[in-house]
Amino acid sequence: MQKGYIFDLDGTVYLDNRLIDGAAEVIQTLRARGDKLVFLTNKSIATREEYVEKLNRLGIQVSLEEIINSNYITGKYLKEHMTQTDAAYVIGEEALIQELMAENIRMTNNADIATYVVLGWDRQFHYDKLNIAYQAWVKNNATILATNPDRTCPVDGGQIPDCAGMIGAMEGVTGKSIDVIIGKPSKLTAEFVVNDILQLKPEQCYMIGDRLETDILMGNENGLNTILVLTGITTRELLKESRIQPTYILNSIKEIVSMQNMTSIK
């Protein structure tokens, strides 16, 4: 039976610009077996084209169709839900703006007409951006959505704040949860990748990632097999304390090809 492998990137395939040992060989082996591969990241500060370039540079040959990021799915979501009179105020970096432009999403910096607020990871986030988003919510009851819920992003040597910082600021001033989270662990992301990209049944698919509350939770809640790798955010100590448990636990991506018949090795 053909299998589908959904790989997280940061902390799973690489850390910053350092490829995880054995990652290229594993991906090459899975391709040679005839399995389908998708690389799925919540990170909103790079475009899909930039991910293709980075993976190719690190020795993993991929096509654009195999790269899905939260920006891309956010653009698809907005295109489906926005009307011609709607406009989105976007907190995020150039990569997010570019990918929303590619979907012809109408954007604005005017709180008086913004009916959607899009929150992405923004390393230039400041008070004025928060105020525009807040005023759009007050004046227009703007729908607030986020590209992803990640608290931090794993980097070589530690972690840095991610999109949850922007979500926390918005929820802090509105006093309510945001309306929609697009990326992992959302059901709409799982269904898009499994049904539209891989075109396989959920039980044929394996979500591989380093984060319990996004990668593993999305897989568990949507009928996928889940593989936790210990090269990123999650440690064995964190795993013991969590209600979210993967189907399989591996030290790194390198061990995937040695899993005989994908039997549990917890």
Side-chain angles (χ1 to χ4, degrees):
M1 180 187 294
Q2 189 174 41
K3 297 183 176 71
Y5 292 88
I6 306 165
F7 288 98
D8 173 53
L9 288 174
D10 292 276
T12 300
V13 174
Y14 54 67
L15 285 167
D16 283 344
N17 291 304
R18 178 174 64 84
L19 199 65
I20 301 294
D21 183 45
E25 293 77 9
V26 164
I27 289 163
Q28 184 177 6
T29 299
L30 296 177
R31 287 196 193 282
R33 290 196 325 206
D35 293 320
K36 292 185 174 183
L37 306 182
V38 168
F39 300 88
L40 174 63
T41 178
N42 271 356
K43 198 172 181 180
S44 64
I45 60 172
T47 65
R48 294 166 68 217
E49 289 81 1
E50 287 170 329
Y51 283 115
V52 170
E53 181 183 347
K54 179 173 183 175
L55 286 166
N56 289 349
R57 186 175 69 248
L58 292 175
I60 297 175
Q61 297 302 307
V62 299
S63 65
L64 184 63
E65 292 72 25
E66 292 176 314
I67 303 292
I68 304 298
N69 64 359
S70 59
N71 296 347
Y72 182 67
I73 304 174
T74 299
K76 297 290 185 186
Y77 179 90
L78 289 171
K79 190 172 185 177
E80 182 179 339
H81 288 82
M82 290 176 68
T83 67
Q84 290 185 339
T85 59
D86 285 324
Y89 174 63
V90 181
I91 292 175
E93 299 192 11
E94 185 61 26
L96 176 56
I97 301 296
Q98 287 182 22
E99 299 205 64
L100 295 185
M101 288 177 63
E103 296 293 339
N104 295 314
I105 301 304
R106 183 186 178 209
M107 289 175 273
T108 183
N109 289 324
N110 186 347
D112 292 335
I113 64 172
T115 51
Y116 281 80
V117 171
V118 180
L119 305 176
W121 181 8
D122 189 344
R123 289 169 294 182
Q124 288 76 47
F125 183 63
H126 53 68
Y127 181 84
D128 289 345
K129 293 182 179 182
L130 177 62
N131 184 43
I132 294 172
Y134 175 74
Q135 297 304 330
W137 177 75
V138 169
K139 295 175 180 180
N140 307 319
N141 193 29
T143 299
I144 306 169
L145 59 90
T147 58
N148 65 290
D150 298 54
R151 292 191 296 274
T152 61
C153 178
V155 296
D156 211 356
Q159 304 176 46
I160 56 177
D162 204 315
C163 188
M166 288 80 253
I167 295 172
M170 197 67 200
E171 291 182 343
V173 296
T174 64
K176 65 185 287 288
S177 298
I178 66 170
D179 298 298
V180 183
I181 292 177
I182 300 293
K184 297 175 287 186
S186 75
K187 184 177 182 64
L188 68 91
T189 291
E191 290 181 343
F192 178 74
V193 172
V194 173
N195 298 337
D196 296 358
I197 306 301
L198 291 174
Q199 297 182 355
L200 295 171
K201 295 179 181 178
E203 58 268 24
Q204 293 176 259
C205 299
Y206 297 81
M207 179 68 228
I208 304 103
D210 68 304
R211 194 184 289 269
L212 292 169
E213 70 274 17
T214 55
D215 304 314
I216 304 307
L217 182 61
M218 185 187 79
N220 288 351
E221 290 185 339
N222 292 280
L224 284 67
N225 301 282
T226 53
I227 301 175
L228 176 72
V229 292
L230 301 175
T231 47
I233 294 291
T234 304
T235 63
R236 289 193 180 273
E237 290 71 27
L238 289 173
L239 182 61
K240 288 178 184 177
E241 298 171 359
S242 178
R243 64 175 181 82
I244 305 167
Q245 294 294 311
T247 316
Y248 311 97
I249 304 164
L250 300 179
N251 290 315
S252 80
I253 188 177
K254 185 177 183 179
E255 298 177 354
I256 289 176
V257 294
S258 64
M259 297 174 67
Q260 297 300 319
N261 299 317
M262 300 302 288
T263 55
S264 177
I265 58 169
K266 282 189 188 179

